[in-house]
Amino acid sequence: MNKRISIIIPCYNCERTLERCLSSILNQTYKNFEIILADDGSSDKTLELANFYKEKYKNVIVLNLEHGGVSNARNKGLEVATGDYIQFVDSDDNFLTNDALEISVKTLEEKAVDLVVYNFTHPCFEPYLKEGLYDLTDDNQLIAYYQDFFSMNLPWNKLFKRLV
């Protein structure tokens, strides 16, 4: 279990939430990761905060982008990512447990799957939440993946095996 994770965080005017988000990542028991902070042209102190973390931690990369939207920021992060696995995190997210990455990597490796989908609790979404492992090389599991609302629509609740 020594695979590297690239954690891509699109950042836009998130100075109030970024520190909490980064703390939840930096406190993970799994330590082989890089954090890519893709600042999407913030007008607050987000870039300043991102650069503070870059100076403090060797595994933090900061991209200073013109405002192009969240998808552009994620794609720019993918361009510089070096990890074996990809994890998207929104700047207002946080991992509730310190072993989330460790468990996810262990699951990917032990089950030989391409993707781990995190479940979470929110009353508006509870009817749609599913649990499971997906082997995207199996046609039936691929269909199940696309039928799952959260698997299909949200990038931030997954750890992906890099297939490049």
Side-chain angles (χ1 to χ4, degrees), residues 44-99:
D44 65 358
K45 294 183 180 181
T46 297
L47 183 58
E48 182 180 322
L49 185 58
N51 283 324
F52 169 79
Y53 276 90
K54 177 184 175 183
E55 293 299 317
K56 190 171 180 178
Y57 299 95
K58 294 187 301 186
N59 61 338
V60 174
I61 299 163
V62 175
L63 304 178
N64 184 4
L65 308 171
E66 289 184 29
H67 186 61
V70 67
S71 295
N72 181 65
R74 286 188 184 115
N75 287 333
K76 294 295 183 184
L78 280 171
E79 289 176 11
V80 300
T82 62
D84 302 291
Y85 302 128
I86 303 293
Q87 172 76 59
F88 294 107
V89 174
D90 285 347
S91 59
D92 62 346
D93 291 346
N94 65 298
F95 288 101
L96 297 178
T97 63
N98 290 342
D99 59 353

